Amino acid sequence: MIVCAGRNETFSYAQEIGVGLIESAINLTKICLVNKPDSLLFIGSAGSYGKYKIFDIIESSKAANIELSFLTNSSYTPLDKILESDNKMVRNDTIVNSSNYISTDEKIAEQYSKYDIGIENMEYFSVLQVAREFNIPAVGIFIVTNYTNKNAHKDFIRNHKEAMKKLSEYLLDKNIIK
């Protein structure tokens, strides 16, 4: 099953699950309870912490939930910070960080690289968490729309339409969709 966030990030071939950690977890859980898929493919946009360029496509089976406050030693958590799906069929296994917030402080965001985290997407951590709970192999495919800096939102808006087109072309080229 192919899933995506929704709202302005929709695809005719993907089920919408909601934006952010909470909506996506609730709605994906509902889907899995009613009609558990054999596997999950989450597709969507991402912000780059600097390693990846605009319109780069990244495949991943790893997600993190590390907040900016953790990077500044202002918080801690007893919860797992990094999850990994059993699905090992990805080319590039970059860790994708998820939060309900978009990073706009370039200096702090650069610190994610210390944890081998390359991009951020708001939903992916909850997708892997739900997949783990239901024993469903999962993977994500992301396209970079912006860098995590003060222009993040403006760049996201400017690049989003073209990015969604390029992501669909990638999925067609890989015979993931027809």
Side-chain angles (χ1 to χ4, degrees):
M1 174 182 280
I2 301 174
V3 296
C4 63
R7 292 191 192 159
N8 67 338
E9 201 154 294
T10 62
F11 303 86
S12 61
Y13 49 84
Q15 174 77 39
E16 296 173 34
I17 59 172
V19 174
L21 294 169
I22 309 304
E23 285 182 16
S24 60
I26 291 169
N27 293 324
L28 185 54
T29 297
K30 287 178 182 177
I31 290 168
C32 292
L33 287 170
V34 172
N35 189 18
K36 180 182 168 187
D38 294 329
S39 63
L40 285 169
L41 168 59
F42 179 82
I43 57 172
S45 62
S48 173
Y49 292 124
K51 179 179 178 181
Y52 296 101
K53 296 178 177 64
I54 304 297
F55 302 130
D56 279 354
I57 294 179
I58 296 100
E59 298 179 8
S60 179
S61 63
K62 296 179 181 177
N65 178 222
I66 299 177
E67 301 291 341
L68 289 170
S69 62
F70 179 82
L71 299 176
T72 60
N73 294 316
S74 303
S75 65
Y76 74 95
T77 181
L79 303 174
D80 288 339
K81 291 183 288 298
I82 298 179
L83 298 176
E84 184 172 0
S85 173
D86 290 335
N87 189 332
K88 301 292 183 207
M89 302 192 58
V90 294
R91 277 187 313 129
N92 174 342
D93 215 10
T94 295
I95 300 171
V96 180
N97 195 56
S98 295
S99 171
N100 282 326
Y101 295 88
I102 306 300
S103 301
T104 59
D105 186 321
E106 188 173 9
K107 296 294 183 207
I108 294 175
E110 287 172 358
Q111 294 180 41
Y112 283 109
S113 63
K114 293 178 187 175
Y115 296 92
D116 254 355
I117 299 171
I119 59 174
E120 67 181 23
N121 169 275
M122 292 178 71
E123 298 79 27
Y124 194 51
F125 185 85
S126 64
V127 169
L128 288 191
Q129 186 72 52
V130 171
R132 175 190 271 184
E133 187 65 29
F134 286 93
N135 294 315
I136 301 169
V139 67
I141 300 178
F142 306 90
I143 187 160
V144 174
T145 54
N146 58 277
Y147 293 101
T148 53
N149 60 26
K150 65 181 180 180
N151 297 319
H153 184 68
K154 182 179 82 174
D155 292 343
F156 169 80
I157 297 297
R158 186 179 71 235
N159 295 323
H160 189 260
K161 186 176 180 180
E162 180 69 18
M164 296 304 97
K165 179 181 166 205
K166 289 180 181 289
L167 182 57
S168 289
E169 289 169 356
Y170 179 85
L171 297 172
L172 279 167
D173 289 345
K174 297 292 180 185
N175 291 316
I176 296 170
I177 61 170
K178 297 182 189 310

